[in-house]
Amino acid sequence: MAGPGFAVIDFETTGLFAGGHDRVIEIAVVHVDADGAVEGRWETLVNPERDLGPQRIHQIRASDVVDAPTFSQIAAQLVELLAGRVLVAHNASFDVKFLVAELERTASWFSSDFVSLCTMQLAREYLPGAGRALADCCAALDIQLDDAHRASADAFATAQLLAAYIQSVDQHELWQAHLESALEHSWPVLASGNREWMPRPPFSEVTASSFLQRITEKMPEYAGPAECLDYLALLDLCLLDRHFSVHETRELVALAEELGISRATCELLHLDYFNQLTRTAWDDGILTDDETADLVHVGDLLDIPTTTIAGALESAALASVPHGSSAAFREGETDSNQGFALSPGDFIVLTGEMSRPRSEIAEEIVGLGYTPWDAVTKKVRLLVAADPDSLSGKARKARDYGIPVVDEAGLERLLR
């Protein structure tokens, strides 16, 4: 695993400032031999223990990193992959600065005079006029770059770019000199971590099926109508933004276990929730396009059978409770759109990088009679996060206080 050779690296980060608050959130390493052949590839997400910054760029969700290892937990494995090798990156100055900053946080002494090469700087010699961006350099050599700003994709494309540079000339003195120097560089000895690397998963929306299986089947069940209403109330809060965050699903599982509600009853309660939403949508005898889309989306999130969703869309008559639903729990149910509502003057906190400037959203909040607030305290009514699974300090405090956390879409629903 050690050199000689090259270790092509790419980091996705929460921002641009390695020495400040920004952190690494994804790492990819590609080993390349002295001739440019790829020898191995590794990647992992990293939990930065803070919010994820501009998610529109790297497309990593907070739910992706909730269970990912921290940098300190994978630092030893990373050092093993880099030891004895020339570090290579596109815009290497950026990646090396973050590598140094993260290693410094491990409290281990080390020398930061890494032997490194930058494919962006080398492009001036090997690809004059091609442009600085990785995409431009790859396009000049017809190297395919899919999923840009995914660490594994960028690192692999950079490895191919390095290979093209190596193979474009007969004299290998430059490469050989760097390879020999890298073998002499001393890396820190770090305590071995106990966490497996965790690659970025394919995108998938969290639905009820992903957490219902974690709820115990209780025989006999000891929950009654009051406990079921408590579960429905939490379900209502979780679906304010029509999205299940990882934190919310864990709260639902924990509440079901605490109240003694079985998996089967949870499924029936989800059906009750959908039926009530359907009746509300049909109250005026008309189902609008927006209401139709909302019913389908909520039905999918709750894993309601397709035939039940289709029936709800076809006729107001089918808005009544279908056979098999938990009618015993309907006595105390409330309109699912009215379970949580904002009142004039309520304090609303914003966190994360929104699709609109926060100042613009704050103006809208003020115009509708609510109060934008900076800090999360017990008097805050709602936290609006760029990502409902945000790991920011504000989001963690809101969950501690039981304050609902919604995304921008959830805020818009509540403001309407």
Side-chain angles (χ1 to χ4, degrees):
M1 189 160 313
F6 303 92
V8 182
I9 60 173
D10 188 81
F11 294 161
E12 293 300 320
T13 66
T14 63
L16 303 176
F17 304 106
H21 189 52
D22 287 320
R23 301 295 300 272
V24 168
I25 55 176
E26 189 175 33
I27 297 171
V29 180
V30 179
H31 279 181
V32 175
D33 70 15
D35 297 319
V38 171
E39 298 177 303
R41 301 171 65 178
W42 299 264
E43 64 174 308
T44 185
L45 290 167
V46 178
N47 186 333
E49 301 179 290
R50 55 148 289 178
D51 71 273
L52 294 174
Q55 291 172 265
R56 69 183 185 281
I57 296 175
H58 51 65
Q59 297 296 310
I60 296 173
R61 303 166 298 171
S63 59
D64 296 330
V65 303
V66 166
D67 295 319
T70 62
F71 187 91
S72 63
Q73 290 173 324
I74 53 89
Q77 297 99 305
L78 177 61
V79 166
E80 288 179 6
L81 291 174
L82 303 183
R85 291 179 175 267
V86 180
L87 301 191
V88 181
H90 199 81
N91 190 10
S93 173
F94 175 87
D95 294 279
V96 168
K97 284 177 181 176
F98 269 96
L99 175 62
V100 170
E102 292 287 3
L103 284 174
E104 285 180 342
R105 293 188 181 98
T106 67
S108 298
W109 179 90
F110 68 99
S111 171
S112 60
D113 58 340
F114 305 117
V115 180
S116 63
L117 288 170
C118 177
T119 52
M120 182 181 74
Q121 297 292 345
L122 290 171
R124 291 183 297 180
E125 176 180 350
Y126 292 95
L127 296 172
R132 294 191 304 273
L134 178 60
D136 292 334
C137 293
C138 288
L141 292 169
D142 201 24
I143 294 171
Q144 188 169 351
L145 176 58
D146 296 325
D147 297 325
H149 294 294
R150 177 171 179 144
S152 60
D154 287 354
F156 187 60
T158 302
Q160 294 176 83
L161 191 59
L162 172 66
Y165 292 170
I166 292 173
Q167 294 161 10
S168 66
V169 294
D170 294 330
Q171 294 80 20
H172 286 185
E173 289 82 0
L174 168 68
W175 315 112
Q176 192 59 41
H178 279 77
L179 290 169
E180 291 174 358
S181 296
L183 286 172
E184 298 174 0
H185 177 75
S186 177
W187 285 84
V189 177
L190 302 179
S192 180
N194 58 359
R195 288 294 306 273
E196 295 289 332
W197 283 35
M198 192 179 88
R200 189 190 306 200
F203 178 83
S204 61
E205 187 164 37
V206 178
T207 66
S209 65
S210 65
F211 66 86
L212 281 175
Q213 60 186 339
R214 304 202 301 271
I215 298 175
T216 308
E217 278 291 2
K218 297 175 175 65
M219 297 297 290
E221 181 176 5
Y222 56 85
E227 287 79 12
C228 292
L229 287 177
D230 285 345
Y231 182 89
L232 282 171
L234 179 58
L235 181 66
D236 192 37
L237 288 177
C238 293
L239 286 175
L240 282 175
D241 55 4
R242 298 305 193 250
H243 168 83
F244 278 130
S245 72
V246 169
H247 289 94
E248 288 167 342
T249 62
R250 289 175 179 174
E251 289 177 11
L252 286 166
V253 171
L255 183 63
E257 293 293 328
E258 176 188 341
L259 297 177
I261 299 174
S262 70
R263 187 186 315 163
T265 296
C266 287
E267 292 172 347
L268 291 176
L269 290 173
H270 291 182
L271 186 55
D272 265 355
Y273 183 94
F274 179 76
N275 290 333
Q276 180 61 33
L277 192 67
T278 300
R279 288 193 291 273
T280 301
W282 276 112
D283 271 350
D284 57 3
I286 300 172
L287 201 62
T288 67
D289 289 343
D290 286 344
E291 288 170 333
T292 297
D294 188 48
L295 283 174
V296 171
H297 184 53
V298 173
D300 288 341
L301 287 174
L302 295 175
D303 291 302
I304 302 300
T306 303
T307 53
T308 301
I309 297 175
L313 301 179
E314 289 173 2
S315 169
L318 292 180
S320 59
V321 181
H323 178 70
S325 179
S326 52
F329 302 134
R330 298 202 308 276
E331 180 180 348
E333 71 183 1
T334 58
D335 182 344
S336 61
N337 282 336
Q338 302 301 320
F340 178 93
L342 293 169
S343 300
D346 277 348
F347 285 47
I348 301 175
V349 175
L350 307 175
T351 186
E353 185 169 323
M354 310 287 186
S355 62
R356 294 186 290 158
R358 282 199 208 173
S359 57
E360 181 181 318
I361 299 175
E363 287 180 10
E364 180 181 358
I365 289 172
V366 170
L368 292 170
Y370 308 112
T371 306
W373 205 247
D374 293 328
V376 174
T377 65
K378 291 183 179 179
K379 63 183 178 181
V380 168
R381 179 69 168 154
L382 184 72
L383 177 72
V384 183
D387 187 325
D389 269 312
S390 173
L391 302 176
S392 71
K394 288 181 178 179
R396 291 197 297 268
K397 183 63 67 175
R399 294 185 192 104
D400 289 343
Y401 289 153
I403 297 169
V405 180
V406 302
D407 59 12
E408 288 182 74
L411 175 63
E412 290 302 316
R413 288 182 58 83
L414 291 169
L415 295 182
R416 288 200 302 268

